[in-house]
Amino acid sequence: MNLKIRTEFGDDHEAIQLVHEQAFGGLAEAKLVAALRAGGYITVSLVATLNDNVVGHILFSPVMIRSAVGSIEILSLAPLAVLPEFQRQGIGTALVKMGIEACKATRYSSIVVLGDPAYYTQFGFSPALACSLKSPFGDSDSWMAMELFPGALSGIAGSVVYPPPFKVFE
Ligand SMILES: CC(C)(COP(=O)(O)OP(=O)(O)OC[C@H]1O[C@@H](n2cnc3c(N)ncnc32)[C@H](O)[C@@H]1OP(=O)(O)O)[C@@H](O)C(=O)NCCC(=O)NCCS
């Protein structure tokens, strides 16, 4: 398997849309990616390629924690998808791990995600770390956070505000 993980190129946009449409079985996430790109909200966008064909994609965009003492910008992981025929081969894992490494090179300190805890806790995401962060998607065990350096979220509490393209999911 000739798997490569790299930053998206302009040429990848159509293939990325297709990955999300097929993985999620609908247009919502593909539209979200297009809207985040159009709005300039993409911080990290990686594709997984097999023999130069895009088979997976992960995106990180900034979100705001609004607290009583001010606002702090962190990152959101969403969406993540791998083409159905290539799932369960470690491609999603490679995208998340490389994505987190790429996020460490940005100015952001932490990442939030809404997803399956069984999947995301293996990368360091934790529901407990997100306890003091209010999700716009409602209370759930699927709401997790991870610090990009120890203590990054210590003492931080507030409501997480996503950029406008996420409104359709709230
Ligand atoms: C989630 C997703 C990106 C994982 O990609 P992948 O390449 O299959 O992941 P990996 O091969 O690295 O890991 C697979 C393991 O994760 C687990 N897993 C896969 N998808 C999962 C999911 N949605 N929730 C929880 N666990 C999941 C499986 O149990 C699998 O382990 P197993 O093979 O031992 O059973 C892929 O399944 C996908 O595109 N799903 C549809 C879109 C989606 O739900 N995205 C996530 C939104 S938060």
Side-chain angles (χ1 to χ4, degrees), residues 23-24 80-82 86-93 114-116 119-120 122:
F24 286 99
L80 161 69
V82 172
F86 296 106
Q87 289 176 7
R88 303 202 151 195
Q89 297 174 36
I91 298 172
T93 297
L114 188 70
D116 192 317
Y119 191 66
Y120 286 102
Q122 63 182 323

Side-chain angles (χ1 to χ4, degrees), residues 45-68:
S45 177
L46 302 182
V47 291
T49 65
L50 274 179
N51 303 324
D52 293 331
N53 297 311
V54 174
V55 296
H57 177 242
I58 191 167
L59 194 151
F60 297 83
S61 56
V63 292
M64 194 71 82
I65 304 173
R66 289 206 202 284
S67 75

